[in-house]
Amino acid sequence: MLCVTCLAAADRQHTVFILVGGTGDLAGRYLWESIFNVYYNIFDTNAGNQEKDVGVNRTFDFLAAGRTAQDQGNIILNSVLKSSIKCPEDSHQLSLCTKRAKEFINQVIYMSLKEEGDFSLLCNEIQDLFSRTSSDVKREIILYLAIAPAAYESVAETFNKKCGEKMRGSGVSLKVAVEKPFGLDKTTAEAMSDRMLSLFKEEEIYRVDHYLGKPLVKAILPFRFSNPHIEKRLNKNHVDRVEIFLKEMVGVEDRFSLYNTMGVLRDVHQNHLTQLLSLFAMDLPSDLKEDAQTQENKGRLLRQVVAVRRHNALFGQYFNYTSHGKQSEESAKESNLSSITNSTLPDGAVPTFAACMLNINSPRWHGVPFILVSGKQLDARESFVRVVFKNRKVCVSQCPEDSLLKSFPSTSQVVFHLDNHSQKNIGIPSILVSRDFNFPLCPSGFQESEDPGFFRSSLVYGTWPDSLYVCALVKHTQAYESLFLDLFESKRTNFVNTRHLLLSWQIWDYLVNVQKKVVVYNKADPEARLSFIIKDDKLVFTEDDDDRPAQVVQEDEKVITRSEVMHDYIQTPAKFLGRKLVTSHADHLAFLLAQEIDQAAQKDIETKGSFHLALAGGTSLLKVFQMLAQSFANLHWHTVHVWQVDERCVPHQDERSNFQTLDRELLRFVDIPYSNVHPMPVDISGRLCDPELGGAHAYSDTIRHLVPNSQFDMVVLGVGSDGHVASLFPGSPDLRVDSSTHVVVTNNGPENTQQRMTLTLPILNKSRRVAVFVTGSHKQDIVRKLEAERHGQASVDSFPVLGINPVNGTVTWYMDYNAYSGGFQESSLI
């Protein structure tokens, strides 16, 4: 047992750390060294490290697990540990470090995990280790899976069955850490996540993207937070573009078999580069220590990123890729490279280079291109986030005349330079800021540098070195070392949660599966064939640019996979209850409705200068809200007024509040003025729908005052499984109010929220357009019953939605296949 000086037992915690794959390549190259460094530098109070941030005494046992038999595994593990764990020769505490290293190596236990029974032995070993601690010591297990995803689900399942459930029952906390890739597309990521969540709680799962442990990556949010004069210019009004690059000089080498199933998009773009984008572009939390708010803001940003399409992406493959990168340079020179590099590989070729332009539909970033680039066998090893600002300065007097300055004008930029091995620009991680900003405040762990030898070239990121402020990293820490410390301390900010994982796959899912045009390039790209331009909102290789307008490929908004195709093939009619019917899959259906709202708004804003949109509550319209926020954030929201169709009589902070859902899923994503949002006044001074306060009457008066002729331009409704619409339920007397009554408080809702405020049928039927959105197989029964109305079997009192009949307006039913098939299968088969 490795122990830090002990306090009282109640203040102590004991961790059993199990590294599955402990004799593998990743463990040998990075993990064991980082684990030891965390233990020695942070947890060993005798190391004299001033960065210690541990609130309790910690003791540890470390286990390595693998498929090798026990005796041979012990030999391999000992060799791996001795070659991995090294103390710096110039350390003034070399003798202490060497002592701790020997102590650490001698106490790491190897366990063979080849058969199911081996997991029982592992569990017995863990119980034995815990038995050596006092009963009131907090106990935890960290299961770190440094193995292929195909194996870790099986390992996690067997461990949970043989040991996890038993340990939880005895009060032991559990963490499981897994390495990427987390799926090959959205479908496999969802399946993998569902499987893991069936075994472990969300808070027990730590998905490791080692880029999130890099010192400069962890400094992005603190830098933004500490420099409000820069932060306030990070928006569409000031930023020309954002470049996020990860360039490598090496090829795939011994990773060929794995890489060949992934390609560059799955290997780098979906994870590393998307994480960098989210950290840079997300809204700052009010407090960086508020992990929940940070995670919420990151998730909101990821939802605003538009899925990448083919016309926004370029691909390449280095020419000797199929020989695993082992072809000699002499052999390459002998080849006819000019003809090879001009060729395009057949469909299905694996790209080793990709350049993608991402767009963010948010008031802050709309119209700003985010350029994500990564590739193998390029001209330099470097990674960075570079923000290039718009240059709108026009010189009138005292303009510089220097010819060199005219050739290389100073670029206003902020660069987060991630590398400590770059041979091109800078040798250590740094933050570079143009001097047209005020002097930046360097984040913790960074310091100002004016060393003329700091730069390795006369031009850095296209500008002169002396035109940049520099915040340089003081002490480099390996990414895994930083992440292990976070893991030990249960800090989840720098790990990927399930929600963020699936949102990131939503961005890339289409592109990873679609056929790609892949060009071939030589090592280091000497002909600059990978250079490209942004042209007409499209990426074009420079050598393909012929000055003609680019033709943007129009693609389906939704790509239907085989698993999504219906098995019962039916012919959908054009109408439902005599009104227009639109059918599709739920996601595409939400897009089509959002598109109709967008088109209607543009038309009305052009003709009368405003658009009044009333939206129903409940969960049925969530996809519509999300689609409006994601794909139509550029709608002219400053001239759109948003109204509520109905609201539960609960505070707006209550999870049941329709307005809270509307705000969380839509309003906070779009640039709509506060005065254009009209929540129903159900909570006045803490009194909910109190008739003495006249909330319904007040909302009705507001409509009369602001909405021309009290006629909404568009109303979007859902349908309850009982046929209710808005908050008008079967048998309610509020279905028969007079034409002058626009808003009522009803007491006919479900038991948990009986009291509600709702618009009435008379004002709903004054609307110019009504859309009814119906999705889910649970709506099949009500759809069938409504269709029976044609034969006189239904009424408004029984099914209030039948009362939606605009006097001078249109009704369109939007119905997904799951809801639709139950209603028409018998009568509409071909």
Side-chain angles (χ1 to χ4, degrees), residues 86 97 103 121 197 274 289 306 311 335 474 533 651 664 671:
K86 299 184 183 299
C97 178
E103 175 186 274
L121 297 177
L197 287 171
T274 304
K289 295 180 180 179
V306 180
H311 65 273
S335 302
V474 176
I533 62 173
R664 184 182 65 243
D671 193 13

Side-chain angles (χ1 to χ4, degrees), residues 184-185 262 264-266 269-270 306-315 351 354-358 372 504-517 539 555 559:
L184 296 178
D185 53 23
M262 297 175 63
V264 67
L265 291 180
R266 294 182 173 103
H269 282 65
Q270 180 273 329
V306 180
V308 192
R309 317 306 284 180
R310 278 179 294 190
H311 65 273
N312 281 338
L314 301 171
F315 300 98
C356 303
M357 181 169 66
L358 274 66
L372 276 58
S504 67
W505 270 119
Q506 187 169 297
I507 298 167
W508 298 102
D509 190 53
Y510 170 79
L511 198 62
V512 297
N513 289 308
V514 75
Q515 295 289 346
K516 305 169 183 65
K517 176 183 178 182
L539 295 190
E555 300 167 285
V559 179

Side-chain angles (χ1 to χ4, degrees), residues 319-320 327-341 522:
F319 107 97
N320 59 345
Q327 182 170 335
S328 67
E329 292 185 9
E330 290 75 20
S331 175
K333 290 177 181 177
E334 293 172 2
S335 302
N336 184 2
L337 296 183
S338 59
S339 64
I340 292 176
T341 52
N522 293 324

Side-chain angles (χ1 to χ4, degrees), residues 636-703:
H636 300 292
W637 289 99
H638 61 284
T639 50
V640 174
H641 287 257
V642 173
W643 302 83
Q644 284 190 274
V645 168
D646 59 334
E647 178 60 284
R648 298 174 174 92
C649 292
V650 296
H652 285 158
Q653 303 94 311
D654 193 299
E655 286 295 327
R656 296 169 294 174
S657 166
N658 291 339
F659 183 77
Q660 184 187 116
T661 302
L662 178 62
D663 178 55
R664 184 182 65 243
E665 302 296 337
L666 173 60
L667 297 179
R668 66 180 61 182
F669 294 103
V670 297
D671 193 13
I672 186 170
Y674 181 82
S675 58
N676 286 17
V677 178
H678 307 285
M680 282 184 160
V682 295
D683 185 358
I684 303 175
S685 301
R687 296 164 67 179
L688 300 175
C689 294
D690 190 329
E692 294 183 1
L693 299 179
H697 181 73
Y699 203 61
S700 180
D701 282 349
T702 304
I703 293 171

Side-chain angles (χ1 to χ4, degrees), residues 734-735 737-742 759-767 807:
D734 297 310
L735 293 168
V737 297
D738 62 74
S739 60
S740 64
T741 303
H742 292 167
L759 300 183
T760 63
L761 289 178
I763 192 170
L764 291 174
N765 285 329
K766 289 184 68 175
S767 304
V807 178

Side-chain angles (χ1 to χ4, degrees), residues 204-264:
E204 293 176 332
I205 302 171
Y206 291 72
R207 295 182 184 86
V208 179
D209 182 337
H210 76 273
Y211 246 67
L212 292 176
K214 286 180 173 288
L216 201 138
V217 174
K218 297 183 80 169
I220 291 176
L221 290 181
F223 176 83
R224 291 175 54 196
F225 198 85
S226 302
N227 292 279
H229 66 292
I230 295 176
E231 176 68 17
K232 70 180 181 181
R233 289 178 60 181
L234 297 182
N235 57 60
K236 64 184 179 183
N237 297 322
H238 299 281
V239 175
D240 179 72
R241 67 184 185 276
V242 179
E243 302 171 357
I244 305 177
F245 274 55
L246 197 166
K247 295 168 58 176
E248 299 179 90
M249 298 177 69
V250 299
V252 298
E253 278 79 38
D254 56 359
R255 293 184 65 221
F256 179 82
S257 59
L258 174 63
Y259 195 94
N260 208 44
T261 65
M262 297 175 63
V264 67

